Amino acid sequence: FNVSFQGDFAIAGMPILLGEDPARRGTDVQQHADTGSSIWDGAVAMSKALEQNPWLVKDRKILELGAGRGLAGLAAAALGARKVLVTDLAYCLE
């Protein structure tokens, strides 16, 4: 998907602001090809699918494994999840 996360992408009318993709680290220091720093099309599709079916997350506890930049978790929070925990490798949290 060709999506901007600087105010144009919204879930339930709430803009999701993630900014530009971070600069890629050199291959000598990357972990798992630094895939966790990307926003994957699957996360965009999942976020929009949740927006169409908010009952899947509303008032529930959500765990997003391998969240990377956390788009699906942020969408769940915007849709009324009671608690959201996003996880990934340590370099994604820096």
CSV table of all heavy atoms in Angstrom, one decimal, residues 19-45:
chain,number,residue,atom,x,y,z
A,19,GLY,N,5.3,8.7,11.3
A,19,GLY,CA,6.5,9.4,10.6
A,19,GLY,C,7.1,8.6,9.5
A,19,GLY,O,6.5,7.6,9.1
A,20,GLU,N,8.2,9.0,9.1
A,20,GLU,CA,8.9,8.3,8.0
A,20,GLU,C,9.6,7.0,8.5
A,20,GLU,O,9.9,6.9,9.7
A,20,GLU,CB,10.0,9.2,7.4
A,20,GLU,CG,9.5,10.5,6.8
A,20,GLU,CD,8.8,10.2,5.5
A,20,GLU,OE1,9.2,9.3,4.8
A,20,GLU,OE2,7.9,11.0,5.2
A,21,ASP,N,9.8,6.1,7.6
A,21,ASP,CA,10.5,4.9,7.9
A,21,ASP,C,11.9,5.3,8.4
A,21,ASP,O,12.6,6.2,7.8
A,21,ASP,CB,10.7,4.0,6.7
A,21,ASP,CG,9.5,3.1,6.5
A,21,ASP,OD1,8.6,3.0,7.4
A,21,ASP,OD2,9.4,2.5,5.4
A,22,PRO,N,12.4,4.7,9.5
A,22,PRO,CA,13.7,5.1,10.0
A,22,PRO,C,14.8,4.6,9.0
A,22,PRO,O,14.6,3.7,8.2
A,22,PRO,CB,13.9,4.3,11.3
A,22,PRO,CG,12.9,3.2,11.2
A,22,PRO,CD,11.8,3.7,10.3
A,23,ALA,N,15.9,5.3,9.0
A,23,ALA,CA,17.1,4.9,8.1
A,23,ALA,C,17.5,3.5,8.5
A,23,ALA,O,17.5,3.1,9.6
A,23,ALA,CB,18.2,5.8,8.3
A,24,ARG,N,17.8,2.7,7.4
A,24,ARG,CA,18.3,1.3,7.6
A,24,ARG,C,19.7,1.3,8.2
A,24,ARG,O,20.5,2.1,7.7
A,24,ARG,CB,18.2,0.6,6.3
A,24,ARG,CG,16.8,0.4,5.7
A,24,ARG,CD,16.0,-0.5,6.6
A,24,ARG,NE,14.7,-0.6,6.0
A,24,ARG,CZ,13.6,-0.3,6.6
A,24,ARG,NH1,13.6,0.2,7.8
A,24,ARG,NH2,12.4,-0.4,6.0
A,25,ARG,N,20.0,0.4,9.1
A,25,ARG,CA,21.3,0.3,9.6
A,25,ARG,C,22.1,-0.6,8.6
A,25,ARG,O,21.6,-1.3,7.8
A,25,ARG,CB,21.2,-0.4,11.0
A,25,ARG,CG,20.4,0.3,12.0
A,25,ARG,CD,20.4,-0.3,13.3
A,25,ARG,NE,19.8,-1.6,13.3
A,25,ARG,CZ,19.8,-2.5,14.3
A,25,ARG,NH1,20.3,-2.1,15.5
A,25,ARG,NH2,19.3,-3.7,14.2
A,26,GLY,N,23.4,-0.5,8.7
A,26,GLY,CA,24.3,-1.3,7.9
A,26,GLY,C,24.0,-2.8,8.1
A,26,GLY,O,23.6,-3.2,9.2
A,27,THR,N,24.3,-3.5,7.1
A,27,THR,CA,24.0,-5.0,7.2
A,27,THR,C,24.9,-5.6,8.2
A,27,THR,O,24.5,-6.7,8.8
A,27,THR,CB,24.2,-5.7,5.8
A,27,THR,OG1,25.6,-5.4,5.4
A,27,THR,CG2,23.2,-5.2,4.8
A,28,ASP,N,26.0,-5.0,8.6
A,28,ASP,CA,26.8,-5.6,9.6
A,28,ASP,C,26.2,-5.5,11.0
A,28,ASP,O,26.7,-6.2,12.0
A,28,ASP,CB,28.2,-5.0,9.6
A,28,ASP,CG,28.2,-3.5,9.8
A,28,ASP,OD1,27.2,-2.8,9.3
A,28,ASP,OD2,29.1,-2.9,10.4
A,29,VAL,N,25.2,-4.6,11.2
A,29,VAL,CA,24.6,-4.5,12.6
A,29,VAL,C,23.1,-4.8,12.6
A,29,VAL,O,22.5,-4.7,13.6
A,29,VAL,CB,24.9,-3.1,13.1
A,29,VAL,CG1,26.3,-2.8,13.4
A,29,VAL,CG2,24.3,-2.0,12.2
A,30,GLN,N,22.6,-5.1,11.4
A,30,GLN,CA,21.1,-5.4,11.3
A,30,GLN,C,20.8,-6.7,12.1
A,30,GLN,O,21.7,-7.6,12.2
A,30,GLN,CB,20.7,-5.6,9.9
A,30,GLN,CG,20.6,-4.3,9.1
A,30,GLN,CD,20.1,-4.5,7.7
A,30,GLN,OE1,19.7,-5.6,7.3
A,30,GLN,NE2,20.0,-3.4,7.0
A,31,GLN,N,19.6,-6.8,12.6
A,31,GLN,CA,19.1,-8.0,13.2
A,31,GLN,C,17.9,-8.5,12.3
A,31,GLN,O,17.0,-7.7,12.1
A,31,GLN,CB,18.7,-7.8,14.6
A,31,GLN,CG,19.8,-7.4,15.6
A,31,GLN,CD,19.2,-7.2,17.0
A,31,GLN,OE1,18.2,-7.7,17.3
A,31,GLN,NE2,20.0,-6.4,17.7
A,32,HIS,N,17.9,-9.7,11.9
A,32,HIS,CA,16.8,-10.2,11.1
A,32,HIS,C,16.5,-9.2,9.9
A,32,HIS,O,15.3,-9.0,9.7
A,32,HIS,CB,15.6,-10.5,11.9
A,32,HIS,CG,15.9,-11.4,13.1
A,32,HIS,ND1,16.0,-12.8,12.9
A,32,HIS,CD2,16.2,-11.2,14.4
A,32,HIS,CE1,16.3,-13.3,14.1
A,32,HIS,NE2,16.4,-12.4,15.0
A,33,ALA,N,17.5,-8.7,9.3
A,33,ALA,CA,17.3,-7.7,8.2
A,33,ALA,C,16.6,-6.5,8.6
A,33,ALA,O,16.0,-5.8,7.8
A,33,ALA,CB,16.7,-8.4,7.0
A,34,ASP,N,16.5,-6.2,9.9
A,34,ASP,CA,15.8,-5.0,10.4
A,34,ASP,C,14.3,-5.0,9.9
A,34,ASP,O,13.8,-3.9,9.7
A,34,ASP,CB,16.5,-3.7,10.1
A,34,ASP,CG,17.6,-3.5,11.1
A,34,ASP,OD1,17.9,-4.3,12.0
A,34,ASP,OD2,18.3,-2.4,11.0
A,35,THR,N,13.7,-6.1,9.7
A,35,THR,CA,12.3,-6.1,9.3
A,35,THR,C,11.4,-5.5,10.2
A,35,THR,O,10.3,-5.0,9.8
A,35,THR,CB,11.9,-7.6,9.0
A,35,THR,OG1,12.0,-8.3,10.2
A,35,THR,CG2,12.7,-8.2,7.9
A,36,GLY,N,11.7,-5.4,11.5
A,36,GLY,CA,10.8,-4.8,12.5
A,36,GLY,C,10.7,-3.3,12.3
A,36,GLY,O,9.8,-2.7,13.0
A,37,SER,N,11.5,-2.6,11.5
A,37,SER,CA,11.4,-1.2,11.4
A,37,SER,C,10.5,-0.8,10.2
A,37,SER,O,10.4,0.4,9.9
A,37,SER,CB,12.8,-0.6,11.2
A,37,SER,OG,13.5,-1.1,10.0
A,38,SER,N,10.0,-1.8,9.5
A,38,SER,CA,9.1,-1.5,8.4
A,38,SER,C,7.6,-1.5,8.8
A,38,SER,O,7.3,-2.1,9.8
A,38,SER,CB,9.3,-2.5,7.3
A,38,SER,OG,10.6,-2.5,6.8
A,39,ILE,N,6.8,-0.8,8.0
A,39,ILE,CA,5.4,-0.9,8.2
A,39,ILE,C,4.9,-1.8,7.0
A,39,ILE,O,4.9,-1.4,5.9
A,39,ILE,CB,4.7,0.4,8.1
A,39,ILE,CG1,5.2,1.3,9.3
A,39,ILE,CG2,3.1,0.3,8.2
A,39,ILE,CD1,4.7,2.8,9.2
A,40,TRP,N,4.5,-3.0,7.4
A,40,TRP,CA,4.2,-4.0,6.3
A,40,TRP,C,2.7,-3.8,5.8
A,40,TRP,O,1.8,-3.4,6.6
A,40,TRP,CB,4.3,-5.4,6.9
A,40,TRP,CG,5.8,-5.6,7.2
A,40,TRP,CD1,6.4,-5.4,8.4
A,40,TRP,CD2,6.8,-6.1,6.4
A,40,TRP,NE1,7.7,-5.7,8.3
A,40,TRP,CE2,8.0,-6.1,7.1
A,40,TRP,CE3,6.8,-6.5,5.0
A,40,TRP,CZ2,9.2,-6.6,6.5
A,40,TRP,CZ3,8.0,-6.9,4.5
A,40,TRP,CH2,9.2,-7.0,5.2
A,41,ASP,N,2.5,-4.2,4.6
A,41,ASP,CA,1.2,-4.1,4.0
A,41,ASP,C,0.1,-4.9,4.8
A,41,ASP,O,-1.0,-4.5,5.0
A,41,ASP,CB,1.1,-4.7,2.6
A,41,ASP,CG,1.8,-3.7,1.6
A,41,ASP,OD1,2.1,-2.6,2.0
A,41,ASP,OD2,2.0,-4.1,0.4
A,42,GLY,N,0.6,-6.0,5.4
A,42,GLY,CA,-0.3,-6.8,6.3
A,42,GLY,C,-0.8,-6.0,7.5
A,42,GLY,O,-1.9,-6.2,7.9
A,43,ALA,N,0.0,-5.2,8.0
A,43,ALA,CA,-0.4,-4.4,9.2
A,43,ALA,C,-1.4,-3.3,8.7
A,43,ALA,O,-2.3,-3.0,9.5
A,43,ALA,CB,0.8,-3.7,9.8
A,44,VAL,N,-1.2,-2.8,7.6
A,44,VAL,CA,-2.2,-1.8,7.0
A,44,VAL,C,-3.5,-2.5,6.8
A,44,VAL,O,-4.6,-2.0,7.2
A,44,VAL,CB,-1.7,-1.1,5.7
A,44,VAL,CG1,-2.7,-0.2,5.1
A,44,VAL,CG2,-0.4,-0.3,6.0
A,45,ALA,N,-3.5,-3.7,6.2
A,45,ALA,CA,-4.7,-4.4,5.9
A,45,ALA,C,-5.4,-4.8,7.2
A,45,ALA,O,-6.6,-4.7,7.3
A,45,ALA,CB,-4.4,-5.6,5.0
